Structures are given as C-alpha cells and as structure tokens.
Amino acid sequence: MLRRTLLLGLGRGPLGRGLGTHRGGSILDRDGKMSEIKKKIRSILPGGDWNPLYDTSYLPPESSDVVIVGGGVLGLSVAYWLKKLEKPRGAIRVLVVERDHTYSRASTVLSVGGIRQQFSVPENVQLSIFSIDFLRNINEYLAVADDPPLDIQFNPSGYLLLASEKGAAIMENNVKVQRQEGAKVCLMSPEQLRNKFPWINTEGVALASYGMEHEGWFDPWCLLQGLRRKVQSMGVLFCRGEVTRFVSSSNLMKTASGEEVNLKRIHEVHVKIDQSLEYQPVECAIVINAAGAWSGQVAELAGIGKGPPGTLQGTKLPVELRKRYVYLWHCPQGPGLETPFVIDPSGTYFRREGLGHNYLGGCSPTEEEEPDPGNLEVDHDFFQDRVWPPLAQRVPAFETLKVRSAWAGYYDYNTFDQNGVVGPHPLVINMYFATGFSGHGLQQAPAVGRAVAEMVLEGHFQTINLSSFLFSRFYSGEKVQEHNII
C-alpha cells in the first residue's frame, strides 16, 4: 500500500551532492563570507586584533551539514566514515552532540567488549566480519600523525556457544549461514567439548559451536577514544549538550494508491548547552540519530510516531532503555588462559578478564524480571539467584567463586526484533538511524558507520545491503529473525 513511500529512503539519490542548509548556499561558502566580514570589522575598529566581547567557544557552530546526535562508538563511526568517504576532502562539516562528556552512562564503556561472527542472519555476520577486520587493523584506519598507536587489547580467544537438544538443529543451521558468509566456525560434540575444555560439565549440552578465529573481546574505551581522536583530526566538531528540539518543514504528498502522507525535513537542531539554560540553534541538512538507548526519545522530538495508530506516521522507533548487570568474580581454580567467551543454553555468559583468574559475566533478565532503568544500581541478588547457579552447574570450579565488583549498563533495546535500525526514516526524510542493536552495537559499529555514511553520501547501501534493517519494517511487520541474541 505504502510501498513506494516506504522505499523513499532508497531512491533519494546521492545526498552528498551539494549538502547545505535550507536557506541557500553551502556552509563553507558562508564561512568564507563571514571571514571577510570579520576582516572588514577589524579594519575599522581602533586598536589591535579584534576580539569578541564574550567567549562563545563552548557553543556549537551556527550551521553544520550533518548533526550527529550521540557521541558513542556508533555516532563516532558514522562521523569517521562521512569524513573518510567525502569528496572532495573537507566538503562536509560534521558536528557530534554528546550530553555525557564523561561517558559514565554510555553503553559503549559499560559493555563487556565482545565481538563474534556467530549470528543467524547473514547481514549480522557480514557486519561483524568487516568490524573484526577493522579492529585487527585499527591503526591502518585510526592512526593519527605524531600520536602513539592504539592498542585495543584484542583477545582472540573465540566464542563458545552451547546448545541443548532442543537448540541443536537451530545451531547447525546457524553455522551453515556463518560458514557461507566466510566465518570459520566448527561444531563440537559433547565429547570433543570435554577434550578441549575439560573444565566444562557437558550435562544438558547436545552440541557446541566454536569460533576458531576473528572472535574474542577488546577494550571498548580504547576504541571510543581512538575514534574520537581520529575524527577530531579529520575536522569533526564536538559539542557538549543535549538536543531538545527539531525545527522542520512539511510537504503533503499522495502515494500511488492515493493515500496522503506528510513528508518532513529537519532544518534546525536546538542544542541545550551543558550546565546552562541557553540553547544554540544549528542549521543542518542531515541528522543522524545515534543516541543509543535514548534514540527513541530523540525520534519523538522529530515527530516520529505521533500520527494516527496503525499508520506509517504513527509508527514509533521501538528502541528503549534496558538495564543489564555485569559481574566480576575471582576464582583461583577457574578455567585458564584458553578460556573462550562462553554462552550457556540458559543465557548465562562469562569470559576471562585479565590473567589473574578473574572473570566477567551475567545474564539477560526475562521480560518479567526487567529491572527499573531509571538508575544504574546493581541487584546483587540477581547474581545469587539467576547467574551463579547455571555458572556453577556448567563450570563446577565456579562453586567457590567470589564476586569482587559489579556494574550496570544500558542496552539500546529494540523491542520489535532486537536488531539494529540503519538508514533513513521514510517520512522525516533527512533523519538517519544508527541504533537499536540490543547489545551488539559496539562490535558492529565500524561496519554500521560505513553503511550509514554510504546511504547519506550515495543514496544507497554499497558494501553490505542492510535494507532489511530499515525503519520501514516496523510498519510492515517484517521482523529480522536473529536467533543469537544474548
């Protein structure tokens, strides 16, 4: 019915040509004119160099071709690829708006830093294959002249997924998909599992899949800081503040079926300055919603989901805050250096942390157990009741573990199908998404950033076709069925 409208985002053509604001003229041309005006003012003022009466260096620019809402790894990856792929160099002004400059609540730095290729959907496997190549060769991408090289402390110990009798057939099918996409994953029987990892109790395990290369974990903070350092060297601007409003124009159009739809274009982003009552309007051509767990709220500011129920205009971005706990424990008799990132059939997971018999792990709660996301307090009873029992059953040595610390972080949880949202909105035509990955956004950020940049600059996906991840699926009801969500 609205198929033509739903595909508007794929048929726009290259948006990189002539990026500029709605009042005419490119931003770079305007900056040149402003520079000339300042020179004239200096020439008529008495005294030496002209200085503004007030310090405005903390304010965002008055205009930017692209405004990225969210300065985590996804937002920074989009910024990197926009500057990497722009033609000519310096053609696009990019502004990143991040309200938490400490990243104390950011999903990026509160995650366990895993990366795997063991997914069931081909697109997810492809995203991870590119991202692991990016991470393994990170200094080819993110090196900055005269700065020390990055060391993300990648640990290539692999992922080990365990399946019960009920899940064995699904695991076999998943591994077929992974191998078809180029991932090196092997299937293991319970006997093979005991021989390779004698510390595992294989009771209840019918089959296991093991990533033989290009899987493991890394330091998320190092990736975040490396991306930030690189994009700053490429000319990306940063602002510490919060987006509070979008100013847009509307255009009523009819679909091929005669149904009226309201197309909107954002012209201005209002940024509330950190620790201040003032805000700065920023004219823009493109907005990237990479606000993570808060991206649903940002979408609402743009009017997304505020139409009649059951319509495309009334379809919300189904991304919300979900709190997850991570526990760190010590166990002197625990598994050694060869320990992979283990996923139990119960949903409990763990990995080694460092060299001193420390481990990180946790478990996602059921819908009924979902904790209040209003704070980042840790529920230690959750470990005692839900995490420890399956851990000790699977690894008997964990009977004697001692929890040393714990923290909570946020998932940008896509309640529709727990997969990412990538690309443009079909009605708010210049808002693009990079969000909703429900726990695997960090590991796929390098590839997702490239995909969004391709869509912005060329009007279509080029290297990995992520059409199934478009916003329009929420209206059409076409879920991305990923079986390996942790």
Side-chain angles (χ1 to χ4, degrees), residues 314-333:
T315 302
K316 296 179 180 291
L317 176 66
V319 177
E320 61 184 42
L321 285 168
R322 292 289 177 95
K323 186 165 76 171
R324 296 292 181 263
Y325 307 120
V326 179
Y327 303 91
L328 185 148
W329 63 87
H330 180 68
C331 183
Q333 289 77 42

Side-chain angles (χ1 to χ4, degrees), residues 293-315:
W294 295 270
S295 55
Q297 299 170 24
V298 173
E300 285 186 12
L301 290 176
I304 292 171
K306 293 192 174 181
T311 67
L312 183 56
Q313 289 175 311
T315 302

Side-chain angles (χ1 to χ4, degrees), residues 15-21 25-28 65-66 82 91-93 285-286 456-457:
L15 291 173
R17 297 175 189 161
L19 277 174
T21 61
S26 76
I27 289 168
L28 295 179
D65 294 305
V66 180
L82 284 171
I92 304 172
R93 173 180 276 185
I286 301 290
V456 169
L457 297 174

Side-chain angles (χ1 to χ4, degrees), residues 274-290:
D274 186 44
Q275 297 181 341
S276 171
L277 295 177
E278 61 184 317
Y279 74 90
Q280 171 75 29
V282 180
E283 288 188 64
C284 64
I286 301 290
V287 174
I288 310 293
N289 185 346

Side-chain angles (χ1 to χ4, degrees), residues 15-314:
L15 291 173
R17 297 175 189 161
L19 277 174
T21 61
H22 68 296
R23 293 180 185 170
S26 76
I27 289 168
L28 295 179
D29 288 344
R30 182 180 308 152
D31 285 349
K33 292 173 183 176
M34 288 301 297
S35 179
E36 291 299 316
I37 291 170
K38 288 181 179 180
K39 287 178 182 177
K40 291 178 180 178
I41 293 173
R42 290 192 191 102
S43 69
I44 62 174
L45 284 175
D49 292 337
W50 174 71
N51 291 305
L53 294 175
Y54 302 101
D55 177 19
T56 59
S57 61
Y58 63 94
L59 294 174
E62 294 182 355
S63 56
S64 181
D65 294 305
V66 180
V67 174
I68 299 175
V69 186
V73 288
L74 279 165
L76 294 176
S77 179
V78 175
Y80 168 78
W81 286 105
L82 284 171
K83 298 301 288 182
K84 177 83 171 175
L85 301 176
E86 68 179 347
K87 295 176 182 177
R89 289 284 180 244
I92 304 172
R93 173 180 276 185
V94 178
L95 170 67
V96 176
V97 180
E98 170 57 50
R99 64 180 180 179
D100 178 16
H101 71 284
T102 66
Y103 293 98
S104 61
R105 292 162 61 88
S107 302
T108 298
V109 298
L110 296 173
S111 76
V112 295
I115 183 165
R116 60 188 164 99
Q117 301 165 76
Q118 296 187 62
F119 289 94
S120 65
V121 172
E123 292 89 341
N124 279 329
V125 181
Q126 293 167 27
L127 288 170
S128 289
I129 285 175
F130 174 78
S131 293
I132 190 65
D133 178 76
F134 184 98
L135 294 175
R136 296 299 298 266
N137 301 283
I138 194 164
N139 285 295
E140 292 181 17
Y141 293 98
L142 301 186
V144 175
D146 300 325
D147 281 357
L150 292 170
D151 177 11
I152 62 167
Q153 300 177 46
F154 180 74
N155 189 311
S157 294
Y159 265 67
L160 179 66
L161 276 64
L162 309 178
S164 63
E165 195 71 46
K166 182 179 178 181
I170 294 174
M171 175 174 281
E172 284 190 83
N173 289 331
N174 292 348
V175 170
K176 286 181 183 177
V177 171
Q178 294 153 17
R179 288 172 175 171
Q180 287 169 359
E181 298 302 329
K184 293 189 176 180
V185 181
C186 71
L187 288 170
M188 303 175 71
S189 67
E191 183 180 0
Q192 290 171 320
L193 195 58
R194 285 192 297 270
N195 290 336
K196 186 168 182 62
F197 304 111
W199 40 265
I200 282 185
N201 172 18
T202 59
E203 181 183 350
V205 175
L207 194 64
S209 62
Y210 178 55
M212 294 182 287
E213 64 179 35
H214 303 322
E215 290 189 333
W217 54 90
F218 62 96
D219 181 356
W221 178 253
C222 182
L223 176 61
L224 177 76
Q225 292 303 311
L227 277 166
R228 188 177 173 99
R229 183 184 75 174
K230 180 62 176 181
V231 299
Q232 283 180 310
S233 76
M234 300 168 89
V236 171
L237 304 173
F238 283 82
C239 172
R240 186 193 309 176
E242 181 178 0
V243 171
T244 57
R245 185 188 175 204
F246 296 108
V247 178
S248 59
S249 61
S250 299
N251 186 20
L252 200 62
M253 294 186 65
K254 286 189 176 182
T255 65
S257 64
E259 190 168 347
E260 289 188 340
V261 293
N262 194 27
L263 299 184
K264 296 176 69 175
R265 177 178 289 276
I266 297 169
H267 298 297
E268 200 172 79
V269 178
H270 287 194
V271 180
K272 181 180 175 296
I273 307 307
D274 186 44
Q275 297 181 341
S276 171
L277 295 177
E278 61 184 317
Y279 74 90
Q280 171 75 29
V282 180
E283 288 188 64
C284 64
I286 301 290
V287 174
I288 310 293
N289 185 346
W294 295 270
S295 55
Q297 299 170 24
V298 173
E300 285 186 12
L301 290 176
I304 292 171
K306 293 192 174 181
T311 67
L312 183 56
Q313 289 175 311

